[in-house]
Amino acid sequence: MKFQEWANTKDRIHLLECNFIDIEQDDPNNVTEFECFFGGIDRVGDIATLLPNLKCLKLLIDPTVSNLDDIDKCRDLEELWVCECSLSSLGLIALLSELKKLILYDNLLMDLSELGLLNNLKILDFSNNNIIDITPITALTSLVQVKASNNLIQLLPSALKHLENLEELDLCGNRISSFSTLAALCDLPNLRSVMFQGKDSPSNPICSLDNYFVWVKSLLPQVHKIDEIMLESELLHSNIYKHLDSMRLNTVTKMQQLHSSAWIWSQDYLKSIYSMRNHYIKDFQVRMSATKASVPKTVQDEKELEAYLNEINDRAIAADEHFKERIYRLMAPEQLFEWRTHLVDALMRVCDTGYVNIFPVQIHPILYGHGHGHG
């Protein structure tokens, strides 16, 4: 198709002129890059028909673009931009096997599963969308740069470890709130830059936690740049690790003290339970002796007294067995100590990092746990 045939409206003529295309002289077969903004085309397939050797296509600021159903006609594309549109579906984009750069910022995307296996993709930008789950990108093992700012991401899948070539990751303006989430990034050997907040970007909840910067650096030692701050300076490195060493020293000291008190507590707790049981048994013995001493010693009375004391004794034995069963359900000192140290560790996380994860069994071992008995 010639440009003269395709340019049958003022909008199309204007579009070609904006791409510096001479309608009369240029050959469509020689055009490898095309930019379309504020509309101007009805279907992506029309561009593919007009420009068969297209390598780079940019669709910008066009609210009429909601899907890429016929994008598969642009099989040779190496770079695709669909930005500030109304894109909610990626269509057959997975068929663009030559794609190396994909820019999708400012759209309405909620799902990335249609990306498929774009094995050559190195740069991916899906900022300003509604993405919650980024698991689909873990299959794109050639990725070097990912921009995922201003989405709804809370968790980072462990499968991110497969992105061994990843160097830059932008997660500004998401919902990441725990340092434990960053474990997914620990095994990325080439990761050099991460962003959770920026000068012109919203932050994640994690950024408000105490010692945020130091903890990110300690968890991701391979990173050279955090939130646009370069860490090349030896002085900066030194200050960070001095701070971290100080935190660790204080933490270890506090934990040793609290662990010691936790062991004393667990021992005293069980001692108090056994003291209660012994007091309970002694109370029965005193009551039986007092009852026996107060009754006249006639043959008839002695038989009635013996029967009455036997009944009390049986009740005492039954009560003691019940008490033993309840004690058996309690944790052994070592298990109580382990539970108590969970609380210590949680306390230290609050002090040093500002966050804590508490599971029901850590709240109360008797109500939520299961005792294992002890002698």
Side-chain angles (χ1 to χ4, degrees):
M1 179 182 291
K2 300 291 185 180
F3 282 126
Q4 295 94 325
E5 298 174 22
W6 187 81
N8 53 14
T9 67
K10 288 184 178 180
D11 287 342
R12 288 189 172 186
I13 292 173
H14 177 66
L15 187 59
L16 292 175
E17 290 175 346
C18 289
N19 280 274
F20 305 102
I21 292 175
D22 188 321
I23 299 175
E24 300 295 333
Q25 298 184 17
D26 286 342
D27 183 353
N29 292 316
N30 295 329
V31 177
T32 58
E33 183 173 341
F34 194 78
E35 183 174 312
C36 182
F37 44 89
F38 301 114
I41 61 169
D42 298 322
R43 295 176 60 83
V44 175
D46 295 340
I47 296 295
T49 302
L50 176 66
L51 308 172
N53 297 316
L54 196 62
K55 300 294 183 182
C56 175
L57 174 62
K58 298 181 180 181
L59 306 178
L60 310 173
I61 320 175
D62 186 353
T64 65
V65 177
S66 61
N67 64 71
L68 298 174
D69 289 343
D70 55 351
I71 193 66
D72 58 307
K73 294 181 180 179
C74 302
R75 291 294 183 97
D76 295 327
L77 274 184
E78 296 180 0
E79 185 173 334
L80 174 62
W81 296 57
V82 186
C83 307
E84 298 182 63
C85 298
S86 299
L87 191 65
S88 59
S89 171
L90 296 176
L92 300 175
I93 198 170
L95 298 178
L96 305 183
S97 58
E98 300 301 317
L99 204 60
K100 297 178 180 178
K101 185 175 184 178
L102 178 59
I103 311 297
L104 302 169
Y105 65 76
D106 280 331
N107 280 289
L108 304 175
L109 291 171
M110 300 178 68
D111 182 17
L112 296 175
S113 59
E114 292 173 313
L115 286 174
L117 298 174
L118 296 174
N119 293 327
N120 291 312
L121 193 65
K122 295 182 180 296
I123 298 175
L124 174 62
D125 184 346
F126 53 92
S127 301
N128 293 17
N129 279 279
N130 299 306
I131 302 298
I132 297 176
D133 182 15
I134 62 171
T135 302
I137 76 168
T138 62
L140 311 177
T141 55
S142 295
L143 280 174
V144 174
Q145 181 187 92
V146 173
K147 293 187 176 182
S149 61
N150 300 320
N151 279 280
L152 306 173
I153 302 166
Q154 294 183 351
L155 302 174
L156 301 178
S158 59
L160 280 174
K161 64 184 179 182
H162 299 308
L163 304 183
E164 295 183 355
N165 296 304
L166 189 64
E167 297 178 4
E168 299 179 27
L169 178 61
D170 182 354
L171 291 166
C172 292
N174 280 285
R175 301 182 178 182
I176 298 171
S177 59
S178 169
F179 288 121
S180 60
T181 305
L182 305 189
L185 307 178
C186 293
D187 296 326
L188 297 178
N190 293 304
L191 188 63
R192 295 295 177 264
S193 173
V194 292
M195 286 187 64
F196 300 102
Q197 62 183 352
K199 183 179 179 181
D200 301 314
S201 304
S203 61
N204 285 266
I206 193 176
C207 300
S208 63
L209 300 182
D210 291 341
N211 304 313
Y212 154 73
F213 194 87
V214 174
W215 275 104
V216 173
K217 179 55 184 172
S218 67
L219 291 170
L220 306 175
Q222 74 275 37
V223 170
H224 294 166
K225 188 177 181 182
I226 299 174
D227 299 342
E228 299 182 311
I229 299 175
M230 294 299 297
L231 305 179
E232 299 299 334
S233 165
E234 291 186 10
L235 179 60
L236 182 58
H237 267 289
S238 176
N239 288 339
I240 286 176
Y241 283 106
K242 280 181 181 177
H243 189 152
L244 186 59
D245 289 342
S246 175
M247 286 168 50
R248 286 173 174 162
L249 181 61
N250 291 337
T251 298
V252 169
T253 302
K254 291 174 186 174
M255 288 185 72
Q256 287 176 341
Q257 293 171 348
L258 290 171
H259 283 178
S260 297
S261 64
W263 178 250
I264 294 172
W265 172 87
S266 61
Q267 294 285 347
D268 289 346
Y269 181 79
L270 288 177
K271 284 180 181 178
S272 66
I273 296 293
Y274 281 107
S275 296
M276 189 186 303
R277 173 177 176 266
N278 293 336
H279 177 77
Y280 184 65
I281 293 172
K282 187 175 182 180
D283 182 61
F284 265 106
Q285 292 172 342
V286 169
R287 212 183 305 179
M288 289 174 67
S289 298
T291 302
K292 191 172 183 179
S294 65
V295 177
K297 295 183 178 180
T298 65
V299 174
Q300 184 64 28
D301 289 339
E302 283 187 1
K303 288 182 179 180
E304 292 177 0
L305 177 61
E306 184 177 357
Y308 175 67
L309 292 178
N310 286 337
E311 181 182 349
I312 291 179
N313 189 58
D314 291 340
R315 288 181 187 175
I317 292 173
D320 190 41
E321 290 299 323
H322 175 70
F323 206 98
K324 286 181 179 178
E325 181 183 354
R326 299 296 294 179
I327 292 176
Y328 183 79
R329 292 177 181 273
L330 293 175
M331 292 183 171
E334 293 79 8
Q335 293 163 319
L336 280 170
F337 172 64
E338 182 179 355
W339 166 73
R340 190 75 171 196
T341 54
H342 276 308
L343 297 185
V344 171
D345 295 339
L347 174 63
M348 297 316 303
R349 283 197 296 271
V350 171
C351 294
D352 285 338
T353 69
Y355 84 99
V356 60
N357 292 322
I358 295 182
F359 299 95
V361 72
Q362 292 174 272
I363 298 174
H364 198 293
I366 309 306
L367 295 180
Y368 295 95
H370 299 283
H372 298 283
H374 50 82

